[in-house]
Amino acid sequence: MLQLDPNLVKDRLELTVPAFKRVGLSADLGRISARTLLYPSAFVVLLGERSGENRYFSEDLIEQDVTARIGVIMAVRDIGDTTGALAGTHLKPLREAVLLSLCRFVPDPGGQAFRFDKGALQSGIDAHGGLFWQDDYTLRFDRRIQIT
């Protein structure tokens, strides 16, 4: 695998977390507005990659372990509660469903499953009880490039 494809994660969440009315990518998140946002929704964002040292002392081969990071941004709300407390209770089963889905998902043969890294509130509570929460996951895979 050269780079983690966020579409793999998007497709996985669409398949395994039917509670989401919409699952999108970072471009989709950039296009939403208060009028177009469906609750609950999730957006998958590729956050970056970090690679280890080359495993071999060869000029013809690069083989590294790579750790990719993704964020799953979840939008939830409860229109009857502008404090966000009820939105928070709606968030818990979604977070658990995403966690189980991704931690059981090995996107590349011979690779590893995603691992939970951290989670945090990403927005204040809006006037309609909506909030954005982001959980970050890592995925380790091997990158192998034959030079000659």
Side-chain angles (χ1 to χ4, degrees), residues 25-112:
L25 300 173
S26 56
D28 301 313
L29 180 61
R31 288 191 290 266
I32 62 167
S33 69
R35 289 185 321 217
T36 62
L37 180 59
L38 300 175
Y39 292 97
S41 289
F43 300 91
V44 178
V45 179
L46 184 61
L47 299 174
E49 295 179 338
R50 184 184 69 239
S51 63
E53 293 295 319
N54 190 13
R55 291 190 183 117
Y56 301 106
F57 295 104
S58 168
E59 296 177 8
D60 294 338
L61 177 66
I62 298 171
E63 185 171 301
Q64 306 169 288
D65 63 278
V66 177
T67 302
R69 289 186 323 112
I70 61 153
V72 178
I73 300 170
M74 292 166 268
V76 297
R77 79 168 174 177
D78 187 297
I79 59 173
D81 173 32
T82 59
T83 68
L86 290 176
T89 62
H90 294 150
L91 179 63
K92 183 180 178 192
L94 291 172
R95 289 186 71 209
E96 289 174 356
V98 170
L99 176 79
L100 291 175
S101 175
L102 294 184
C103 290
R104 292 175 176 159
F105 180 43
V106 179
D108 194 37
Q112 297 183 5

Side-chain angles (χ1 to χ4, degrees), residues 7 9-18 20 22-24 101:
N7 281 297
V9 179
K10 174 187 173 291
D11 294 346
R12 172 73 180 189
L13 294 178
E14 285 176 333
L15 180 69
T16 60
V17 187
F20 287 128
R22 178 176 188 193
V23 178
S101 175

